[in-house]
Amino acid sequence: MATVDPGLRPEMVQREGREAFERLRTYSIIAVQAGVAAGLSWFIASDVLHNPQALFAPAASIGTVAAALGNRIRRAAELIAGVILGVAAGQLIIFAIGTGPIQIAVIVAFAISSVAVIRGGGAVMVHAGSTAVLLGTLTAQQSHLAVARTVNALIGGATAIAVALLILPANPVRVVHRSAGPSLDVFARALTAVAEALDRREVQQADDALQRLIAVEQERDKTIEMVAAAGEIALLSPWRWRRLGILRRYQRASEHLQSAYSNSRELAHWVVSAVRLREPVPAGLSASIEHLGQAVRLLHRDFVAGREPDLARARAQQAIEEVNQACAEEIGFCEMVLISRLRLAISDVLQASGLPKAEANQQAGLAADSS
């Protein structure tokens, strides 16, 4: 009889289920785009143009679509460049020394070396190498298949771009909401947990909140990538141009929010130290941290809705007032560093809302040269 892992708590199962569902919602558009692009490219290559090696057209379209939500044009260019380099290298070697196992090794090495010379990436190397292998196994009578593969690469790449940007473009605001939204929500809730731990003087709770902030920060590269992908869609798809203003604001805010992650993590670290050392903590400090988290959550909602982030700024300014009141009381060394990080994080959120750096620093009570 199967036993249930005692470490697999119901809340863990629910969390994993929610995360899996969010991943499915985020990437389902890629699955649909890949399917449509594969079918359409096969139809063009096989039924319309009657090309040999038609299977490579849908393979190329899938490689272009499924690589990521963004960088589709670069991905298609890399694929086509790799095929062309593989064809050129293969034809040159075959003309000189014929075909065979040794020739395959020479062709692949030469093709990948050619890519390295022009500073091509890993994707270009893969396509150049695979094309070179194909050519190395062909007889002289089959050499026309090299041209067919190049044409099919063009068909697959072009079809993928058409599907991704013209036929079924993703909603860039929805992409940002589904990718950045959950991480920002976890970030805000982790700040709430930090505030509660400081208020209750609970070391374990503070440390747990710190670990959550560390985990959220590790996801920031993925969030940046998804925001960039959404910006590319809004820029290149005519049907999504009206979303471009919102996405540009979010892209500008993204850099400041990453800094807010880092400063909040350091803030949580000093909260753990302050609670562990039982230093005196001003009453308003935990409220300020809580309102910083609320400002982050409101900022994301305002951006997605296309509103001016006045509520987020007001909540951040409330956090500043509470910090200033806390500084009027007796504080220890840990609280001094904590307050410094808190001011930096508040300034980051104000800058993410669109305020200039100098104004945000001034409101947060930082020196003019603070970063």
Side-chain angles (χ1 to χ4, degrees), residues 288-309:
S288 178
I289 297 172
E290 163 70 16
H291 288 136
L292 171 63
Q294 292 178 7
V296 170
R297 188 179 290 111
L298 288 169
L299 183 65
H300 173 68
R301 292 176 182 173
D302 287 342
F303 275 160
V304 171
R307 299 189 297 260
E308 189 68 21

Side-chain angles (χ1 to χ4, degrees), residues 116-257:
V117 169
I118 64 170
R119 299 183 180 181
V124 184
M125 291 183 179
V126 169
H127 293 298
S130 60
T131 301
V133 168
L134 173 66
L135 290 178
T137 60
L138 298 176
T139 64
Q141 291 74 25
Q142 295 174 309
S143 60
H144 67 284
L145 294 181
V147 176
R149 179 169 176 135
T150 304
V151 172
N152 289 330
L154 288 167
I155 292 171
T159 302
I161 292 172
V163 170
L165 297 179
L166 298 175
I167 300 175
L168 288 173
N171 185 328
V173 175
R174 189 174 299 161
V175 169
V176 170
H177 178 67
R178 290 179 177 175
S179 59
S183 62
L184 287 174
D185 187 60
V186 172
F187 178 30
R189 284 190 280 113
L191 285 172
T192 297
V194 170
E196 291 176 351
L198 183 61
D199 192 46
R200 298 174 183 175
R201 309 297 196 271
E202 289 283 347
V203 177
Q204 186 59 52
Q205 185 179 357
D207 190 64
D208 289 344
L210 171 60
Q211 298 309 314
R212 269 182 263 167
L213 282 170
I214 292 173
V216 170
E217 190 177 9
Q218 291 171 347
E219 293 290 321
R220 66 182 181 179
D221 290 341
K222 175 184 173 183
T223 300
I224 292 172
E225 178 184 347
M226 297 301 282
V227 171
E232 179 184 87
I233 295 169
L235 179 64
L236 299 178
S237 174
W239 320 125
R240 303 303 186 191
W241 282 345
R242 60 193 177 89
R243 304 288 188 180
L244 189 56
I246 298 174
L247 265 298
R248 282 179 172 167
R249 289 173 61 198
Y250 214 109
Q251 286 176 321
R252 287 193 296 268
S254 179
E255 179 182 348
H256 300 299
L257 288 174

